Every structure is written in C-alpha cells, then in structure tokens.
C-alpha cells in the first residue's frame, strides 16, 4: 500500500511492471503490473523490472529538486541499485495553477535480493519520504 508524508508534493501512484512507455500525447502505458517478484533461488538476482512513479510536484516555479529512489529489504537495509536512482529537476511553470505531474519510468536491471519477504520502494524528494510501495520477493516453487 502507499504511505504518504504530507508536504507540498505527493506520490500519485507507484507500480511495478514488466515495461512502460509514454506516448506522443503524454499518455502513460504500463504492461504487466505485479506486486510479487519470483526468483529461482534466494538469494538471487531479478533480470529486469520497471518502476513507474507519478508525482504531483508543488513548489516555487524554478526551484531545484532532488528525487531519490531507494529499495529496502525486510531487515531495513538498502539494496544496492547500480546506478543509483537519483535525479535533479527544476519545478516547471504550469499555466492555470495546475499541479505539474512528473511521470518517471525507471528500468531496474539485475537487482540482487539477499532475502525473501516484504521489500519497499521509497520515493524521496529533497530528502523527505513522500511515498512508498511494498512488494514481496518469493522463491518460485517448481512443480
């Protein structure tokens, strides 16, 4: 489930999926949304998944922001994501007082999981956790 911290900006949604695109008209398309990552063995690596994050950005036009994504294991240790998911952006000017939406498509490959269980993808904006998405990591049982 989502956990929101009340501040100027908020996460609209977070999904884990097989792939995502944004088309020419700005529509966000997601394929194969899931909440469980299955591995052949634990510990093990997952070849690729996509995290889609939509954030309503509020703040002074032109202000600089730092967005950071971290994935945390059940033991509260950060997983090593290479390269780290961190980016800087400037709050855009939007007409008619609308809240700008930042849609991020993050392809994460070859991520190692040392343990199974509930993991959490956390979204930080300027050092504040503005949202999270929990997902499970399980060993796939072969029949």
């Amino acid at each position: 489930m989502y956990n929101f911290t009340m501040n100027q900006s908020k996460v609209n949604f977070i999904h884990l999926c097989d792939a995502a695109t944004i088309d020419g008209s700005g529509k966000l398309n997601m394929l194969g949304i899931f909440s469980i990552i299955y591995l052949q063995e634990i510990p093990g690596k997952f070849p690729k998944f996509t995290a889609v994050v939509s954030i309503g950005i509020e703040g002074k036009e032109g202000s600089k922001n730092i967005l950071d994504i971290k994935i945390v294991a059940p033991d509260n240790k950060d997983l090593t994501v290479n390269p780290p998911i961190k980016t800087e952006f400037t709050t855009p000017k939007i007409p008619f007082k609308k809240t700008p939406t930042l849609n991020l498509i993050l392809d994460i490959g070859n991520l190692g999981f040392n343990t199974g269980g509930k993991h959490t993808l956390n979204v930080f904006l300027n050092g504040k956790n503005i949202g999270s998405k929990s997902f499970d990591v399980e060993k796939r049982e072969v029949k």
Side-chain angles (χ1 to χ4, degrees), residues 1-141:
M1 209 58 211
Y2 302 110
N3 302 310
F4 297 113
T5 301
M6 297 306 290
N7 66 12
Q8 290 183 336
S9 300
K10 70 171 191 158
V11 170
N12 298 320
F13 60 81
I14 302 170
H15 293 296
L16 303 181
C17 58
D18 295 325
T21 61
I22 298 176
D23 70 14
S25 63
K27 290 189 283 185
L28 182 59
N29 303 290
M30 292 176 273
L31 177 66
I33 296 172
F34 58 85
S35 60
I36 301 173
I37 289 180
Y38 291 103
L39 299 174
Q40 295 295 324
E41 295 291 330
I42 296 177
K45 291 190 176 191
F46 196 72
K48 180 200 169 286
F49 67 95
T50 300
V52 178
V53 181
S54 177
I55 304 171
I57 303 293
E58 292 190 15
K60 184 178 175 186
E61 173 190 330
S63 63
K64 302 246 185 252
N65 300 278
I66 297 173
L67 182 79
D68 195 11
I69 307 283
K70 295 187 185 276
I71 300 174
V72 180
D75 61 5
N76 287 325
K77 292 183 181 175
D78 289 349
L79 299 184
T80 302
V81 180
N82 274 322
I85 305 170
K86 189 172 194 172
T87 189
E88 293 183 27
F89 67 93
T90 302
T91 303
K93 179 180 180 178
I94 300 292
F96 310 115
K97 303 284 184 188
K98 289 183 179 180
T99 300
T101 299
L102 177 64
N103 290 320
L104 300 169
I105 296 173
L106 309 164
D107 288 329
I108 301 169
N110 212 24
L111 184 61
F113 293 93
N114 292 323
T115 61
K118 191 159 295 295
H119 289 66
T120 306
L121 184 145
N122 293 304
V123 179
F124 295 89
L125 184 62
N126 300 324
K128 294 181 182 176
N129 187 329
I130 61 167
S132 62
K133 171 75 174 181
S134 294
F135 62 96
D136 291 310
V137 174
E138 298 180 2
K139 181 178 176 182
R140 179 168 300 277
E141 297 298 325

